[in-house]
Amino acid sequence: MIRTTRSTTTARAAALGALVIALAAGCGGQSDENDEGITQGAGSGSSASDDGGGETGDDTAASDGGDTAASDGGGSASDTAGSEDAAALPADADLATEQLPVPAEEAVGIAVQTAGGGETVSVSIDHDDDHGWVWEIEVAVDGQEHDLDIDATTGKVLEHDEEDDEVDDPVVDVTSPMTPPEALDLAVQERDGRVSGWDLDSDDGTIRYQVDIESSDGEDDVEVDVDVSTGEVRVED
């Protein structure tokens, strides 16, 4: 009887020990699974954060690109219309030493384009009380005469008159064989003073610059003719 009781007690102790081990093993497995789940969750959060960071980077790039493009485009637009903001020369400017915002060659190009082509037969620059410095350009196109006034500060066409008239005057060119600066330099060498205006056209078939000079010595203003072909200078009394 004593042996039977001890055997039964031993068996129960073994069974209880096995149950404890099994329960411990089960808890350990769940803990591992929970740990893995937590680790995976942390990994997912990191990925989401990285993805979010990528989106932020994209937004930054888009923002930078957009701002840069907009700024560049605005700058180009501003450069294209820069003449609108150009500073006008004062009425007493000396055209021999100061440059108009819209030079002669550019003004001629505007006139010819506005007229629809043709040949330039006269170019002049003078100061107007209402519009400041103004180019007056005559263009001949297929039996029509186009007279254009162009703002020498902005390049805007102020006036454009057309009439049927066959123009026989010679064609003039502000780039060859003599440019305006070259002609003005010759004129002031002949008679010192402020150049207040000039024109380029023909007289009896001879193409010449006629330069208006306000004498610095207080004498009467003079006109100086400069032949574009020979460079001959003559002062008109």
Side-chain angles (χ1 to χ4, degrees), residues 2-55:
I2 294 175
R3 292 179 180 174
T4 302
T5 300
R6 289 181 177 176
S7 299
T8 303
T9 301
T10 302
R12 288 179 180 176
L16 181 59
L19 177 59
V20 171
I21 294 173
L23 289 174
C27 292
Q30 291 178 356
S31 177
D32 292 342
E33 291 177 359
N34 290 338
D35 291 343
E36 292 177 2
I38 292 172
T39 303
Q40 291 175 357
S44 300
S46 177
S47 299
S49 175
D50 292 343
D51 292 342
E55 291 174 2

Side-chain angles (χ1 to χ4, degrees), residues 185-230:
D185 185 56
L186 290 173
V188 296
Q189 287 182 36
E190 183 69 23
R191 184 63 59 90
D192 186 38
R194 180 182 78 90
V195 175
S196 59
W198 58 264
D199 61 78
L200 172 63
D201 56 17
S202 60
D203 182 19
D204 293 332
T206 300
I207 300 175
R208 51 90 174 113
Y209 284 91
Q210 188 174 55
V211 184
D212 299 325
I213 297 181
E214 293 183 357
S215 299
S216 57
D217 55 9
E219 296 182 2
D220 293 338
D221 298 343
V222 298
E223 293 180 350
V224 179
D225 287 352
V226 181
D227 190 309
V228 301
S229 297
T230 65

Side-chain angles (χ1 to χ4, degrees), residues 3-4 7 14 18 60 64 121 133-134 136 144 168 197 215 223 226 232:
R3 292 179 180 174
T4 302
S7 299
T60 302
D64 292 344
V121 295
W133 291 99
V134 176
E136 297 179 7
Q144 281 193 321
D168 296 327
S215 299
E223 293 180 350
V226 181
E232 180 184 355

Side-chain angles (χ1 to χ4, degrees), residues 52-76:
E55 291 174 2
T56 302
D58 293 341
D59 292 342
T60 302
S63 175
D64 292 344
D67 292 344
T68 302
S71 175
D72 291 345
S76 299

